[in-house]
Amino acid sequence: MSETTGKAFDFKLFKRLLGYTKPYKWTFSFVAFAAIALSVLGVLSPILLEKAIDESILPKDWNGLVYYVILMIVVLLGEVLFQFSFIYYANWLGQTVIRDIRVKLFKLMMSFRMKYFDKSAVGRLTTRAVNDIETIASIFSEGLFTIASDVLKMVVILGVMFYKSWELTLISISIMPILIYATRVFQRAMKGAFEEVRNQVANLNTFVQERITGMKIVQIFAREETEYKRFVEINEEHKKAWIKTVWYNSIFFPIAEISGSIALGLIVWYGGLNAIADEVALSGDITLGVITAFIQLSQMLFRPLRMIADKFNTLQMGMVAANRVFGILDTKSHIADEGDIELKETRGDIEFKEVHFGYNEDEEVIKGISFSVQSGQTIALVGATGAGKSTIINLLSRFYEINGGEICIDGISIKDYTLPSLRSHIAVVLQDVFLFADTILNNITLGDETITEETVIAAAKEIGVHEFISSLPDGYHYNVKERGTMLSSGQRQLIAFLRAYVSNPSILVLDEATSSVDSYSEEMIQTATDKITKGRTSIVIAHRLATIKKASQIIVMDSGKIVEKGTHKELLKKENGFYKNLYEVQFMKEEAI
């Protein structure tokens, strides 16, 4: 994650952000041109007003007045046209840029190794991918071009003012050093304030997301009052962060308003005295028209300066958000897809050779494991909780990188295969089944257009789950809602089996947990297991004696090591063996039943 620089403005970060506008350089150029046009057109109105007063209204020249009024209308229409173009295309550019960044970010996040998600809060990542990226759009729509337009307008205004009367100009800008200093202090203060705001937004999103997801646990253990108090505390911190930005705004903007009013008063006082006394200034006559023009020009000069500070807030918040998003884009946590072999067909031979692995560098959970599975065989992994069984599943699909040793499929290291082709031949049914808030059909096909509804129905009939799905409202088009909450745990697992089966994998990995399902669902799961493992190389974390007995080989694990191998009968013959003890504690009652 990139660090906050502490500067009021990070030009290096800004330059990187502008790099995303290169594909849209013509739109960028047009918006810049519109900004220039607006700065020029904005100054023409006071000049025309001055001319109308001095050359038409005071001399009572009706034709001249009509002429200047028509010119002002033309200028106004030009301003409207360029203002529309400026706002529309600046916003279009901003939304297009954040679309590209969001696509890039999401694609990168999908390639991250599981270790990254293990350590990253979902709510915080959601904030980065949604809220922060949306904030970046304001850099273009309200920040960059608006500031550039305002600065350019101020330069043009000062040029015109000096040309008209250097005395009135000096009076107008006499307060500007104070305002510029206040603006600078304000910008620095807001930098830290916005950083804190983004932190508190992420904390709030994370807390709410986790509590909503785990609401069942909250209510089961009657933690509503505790979680409510914690939410109040986090929400209060969020409010304090925003109040700090409000405090800075409430100090700065009155100072800016007072400064502008003082400058306006000085112009009226000095210009009025000269006009009344009919004195001639060194730079020319200070006429009623000049005074009127200066009143408008001074307001136009100070308004952009006040607005620049406001827009700089927007720019600053966008830069803080960009810093956080780029922090994720710079994260080096993805699985290296450096293989050049496309795994098109596979026999399904699997071999683990002295594999070492740890989720943390100083804590190894897999300690030199070696075993092989022949094509079409089913091996069962058994052992106590924490023995490393599920880790084997994660390593085979390269969700995590091993620390040592080698994992081979068909005699070739899995690192030599391209990652998509490797995973396309491996189907995994996990103990914790995840379903998206979508229809059963879409949860099975996962958007694969090559898998038709007819194929899914035929597969469901083969493994015995068609009747269950058909009994649901809308059948295969039944929406299971978020995480499949509309289905029981057994039903969710049946959907997961069907999802694995229709992908027609060469290698099947099952974590067949049935501790929380009813006997009817368990019977269906057993039927599904027998069907989808037939003729396929399968690695099963076994929770049922029936599966273990049918396995070609049983691998017994303990504390990250393989302590025994063999068939069910072979392992039962070992006196005081790990498997025999496990069988007597866990499986003997099941066999008796």
Side-chain angles (χ1 to χ4, degrees):
M1 185 73 70
S2 60
E3 297 295 329
T4 305
T5 62
K7 303 174 184 177
F9 191 79
D10 191 336
F11 284 97
K12 185 177 180 181
L13 181 65
F14 186 66
K15 183 179 179 181
R16 180 177 179 183
L17 188 61
L18 284 183
Y20 285 90
T21 65
K22 287 183 179 179
Y24 316 104
K25 58 183 180 181
W26 291 111
T27 303
F28 186 94
S29 300
F30 177 76
V31 174
F33 172 74
I36 296 171
L38 284 172
S39 65
V40 174
L41 290 171
V43 179
L44 288 179
S45 293
I47 295 175
L48 291 174
L49 181 60
E50 175 207 336
K51 295 289 186 183
I53 292 173
D54 289 340
E55 298 178 10
S56 299
I57 295 177
L58 293 179
K60 298 182 180 180
D61 180 3
W62 169 256
N63 292 329
L65 179 61
V66 172
Y67 170 74
Y68 283 118
V69 169
I70 292 173
L71 283 180
M72 283 191 280
I73 291 173
V74 171
V75 170
L76 178 62
L77 291 175
E79 277 193 278
V80 170
L81 177 62
F82 279 105
Q83 190 72 32
F84 166 78
S85 302
F86 177 81
I87 293 173
Y88 178 81
Y89 285 105
N91 278 275
W92 181 91
L93 184 63
Q95 289 299 322
T96 305
V97 166
I98 66 168
R99 177 203 63 189
D100 295 346
I101 295 176
R102 188 178 280 126
V103 167
K104 183 178 180 180
L105 179 66
F106 187 72
K107 184 178 181 181
L108 182 68
M109 288 171 65
M110 287 195 295
S111 70
F112 283 164
R113 62 185 70 184
M114 289 298 112
K115 185 176 182 180
Y116 178 85
F117 297 104
D118 294 341
K119 296 182 177 181
S120 301
V122 174
R124 191 170 294 273
L125 291 176
T126 303
T127 300
R128 300 292 177 266
V130 180
N131 300 62
D132 284 341
I133 288 185
E134 196 63 42
T135 305
I136 292 174
S138 62
I139 292 178
F140 300 95
S141 60
E142 300 175 37
L144 169 64
F145 293 112
T146 306
I147 290 175
S149 178
D150 287 344
V151 169
L152 186 59
K153 186 179 291 186
M154 290 171 63
V155 171
V156 175
I157 289 171
L158 281 173
V160 172
M161 290 174 73
F162 268 110
Y163 175 77
K164 292 292 181 182
S165 172
W166 64 268
E167 295 160 300
L168 288 180
T169 303
L170 290 179
I171 290 174
S172 300
I173 65 175
S174 60
I175 327 211
M176 196 169 286
I178 298 174
L179 192 55
I180 291 174
Y181 175 75
T183 302
R184 183 65 174 169
V185 173
F186 176 69
Q187 290 169 356
R188 288 186 177 276
M190 292 302 284
K191 172 74 173 181
F194 283 139
E195 181 69 28
E196 188 174 345
V197 165
R198 299 316 301 169
N199 276 329
Q200 293 305 326
V201 168
N203 290 339
L204 189 62
N205 283 352
T206 299
F207 183 88
V208 172
Q209 188 273 333
E210 288 181 346
R211 269 57 189 184
I212 291 176
T213 302
M215 188 57 68
K216 184 181 290 186
I217 299 299
V218 172
Q219 294 183 356
I220 286 174
F221 289 94
R223 304 297 293 175
E224 293 93 336
E225 187 64 26
T226 302
E227 297 301 334
Y228 169 74
K229 290 178 180 178
R230 291 182 64 188
F231 176 78
V232 169
E233 292 174 2
I234 293 173
N235 198 35
E236 178 65 21
E237 292 301 316
H238 177 262
K239 185 201 78 172
K240 287 179 180 178
W242 274 110
I243 289 297
K244 187 178 290 186
T245 67
V246 174
W247 169 251
Y248 292 141
N249 278 298
S250 64
I251 293 175
F252 173 78
F253 286 102
I255 292 175
E257 287 294 333
I258 291 171
S259 300
S261 299
I262 291 174
L264 183 61
L266 290 174
I267 291 171
V268 173
W269 171 74
Y270 184 82
L273 287 178
N274 279 270
I276 292 172
D278 195 28
E279 293 180 359
V280 179
L282 294 176
S283 58
D285 293 337
I286 300 179
T287 64
L288 181 60
V290 170
I291 295 173
T292 305
F294 260 81
I295 290 173
Q296 278 198 314
L297 288 170
S298 66
Q299 289 178 328
M300 292 172 64
L301 180 66
F302 281 94
R303 189 186 305 120
L305 192 58
R306 295 193 297 269
M307 295 305 293
I308 282 175
D310 191 29
K311 297 305 179 185
F312 199 91
N313 291 348
T314 302
L315 183 64
Q316 197 78 282
M317 183 169 275
M319 293 296 287
V320 170
N323 186 59
R324 293 175 175 278
V325 171
F326 287 145
I328 298 180
L329 289 173
D330 293 337
T331 300
K332 306 297 181 184
S333 185
H334 57 278
I335 297 292
D337 187 11
E338 298 174 352
D340 56 3
I341 300 176
E342 196 75 22
L343 185 58
K344 296 181 178 179
E345 294 183 7
T346 174
R347 299 188 304 275
D349 294 334
I350 302 171
E351 187 174 8
F352 277 62
K353 301 178 182 178
E354 287 295 320
V355 173
H356 292 262
F357 171 75
Y359 293 101
N360 300 313
E361 293 181 4
D362 56 346
E363 187 178 349
E364 202 170 57
V365 296
I366 297 295
K367 306 170 183 177
I369 281 181
S370 297
F371 68 89
S372 61
V373 189
Q374 302 302 313
S375 177
Q377 285 187 336
T378 297
I379 68 163
L381 299 177
V382 298
T385 301
K389 305 184 298 297
S390 295
T391 302
I392 296 294
I393 292 175
N394 291 329
L395 297 181
L396 182 62
S397 297
R398 288 194 70 194
F399 292 139
Y400 298 87
E401 293 283 32
I402 60 177
N403 299 337
E406 190 176 37
I407 303 175
C408 298
I409 293 179
D410 292 348
I412 299 174
S413 172
I414 58 174
K415 291 184 178 181
D416 294 334
Y417 294 118
T418 61
L419 200 56
S421 69
L422 169 69
R423 290 178 178 171
S424 67
H425 286 274
I426 303 174
V428 180
V429 179
L430 297 173
Q431 181 175 351
D432 181 19
V433 177
F434 185 92
L435 297 180
F436 296 95
D438 207 333
T439 64
I440 288 179
L441 180 64
N442 289 338
N443 268 288
I444 293 170
T445 64
L446 295 177
D448 188 343
E449 296 180 355
T450 63
I451 304 175
T452 64
E453 184 173 353
E454 290 72 22
T455 302
V456 172
I457 293 174
K461 289 179 179 179
E462 287 182 31
I463 65 173
V465 299
H466 174 68
E467 185 177 343
F468 137 65
I469 297 176
S470 299
S471 67
L472 297 171
D474 299 322
Y476 289 85
H477 297 277
Y478 178 64
N479 193 311
V480 300
K481 305 302 180 185
E482 187 175 2
R483 298 185 67 88
T485 54
M486 301 302 291
L487 303 176
S488 69
S489 57
Q491 290 173 329
R492 289 197 297 270
Q493 194 156 54
L494 288 169
I495 298 300
F497 272 90
L498 183 55
R499 178 162 61 192
Y501 187 56
V502 297
S503 67
N504 194 27
S506 303
I507 299 171
L508 189 66
V509 182
L510 302 177
D511 188 350
E512 52 156 1
T514 56
S515 57
S516 60
V517 303
D518 56 78
S519 57
Y520 176 71
S521 295
E522 183 172 354
E523 184 179 342
M524 293 178 69
I525 290 172
Q526 181 61 57
T527 302
T529 301
D530 294 341
K531 183 67 178 180
I532 67 177
T533 56
K534 186 177 181 180
R536 288 187 175 88
T537 304
S538 304
I539 299 178
V540 182
I541 297 178
H543 298 267
R544 291 191 302 272
L545 184 60
T547 303
I548 295 173
K549 283 185 174 181
K550 293 176 182 178
S552 307
Q553 183 181 203
I554 299 170
I555 295 177
V556 186
M557 298 184 65
D558 183 62
S559 301
K561 295 180 179 179
I562 294 177
V563 291
E564 290 178 350
K565 294 180 186 177
T567 63
H568 174 67
K569 292 182 179 180
E570 290 172 348
L571 294 176
L572 284 180
K573 293 177 181 179
K574 294 186 177 182
E575 291 296 327
N576 296 320
F578 276 82
Y579 179 77
K580 186 174 183 180
N581 292 334
L582 185 66
Y583 167 77
E584 290 173 352
V585 172
Q586 185 172 342
F587 299 120
M588 190 173 285
K589 291 181 181 179
E590 182 182 341
E591 188 172 38
I593 292 173

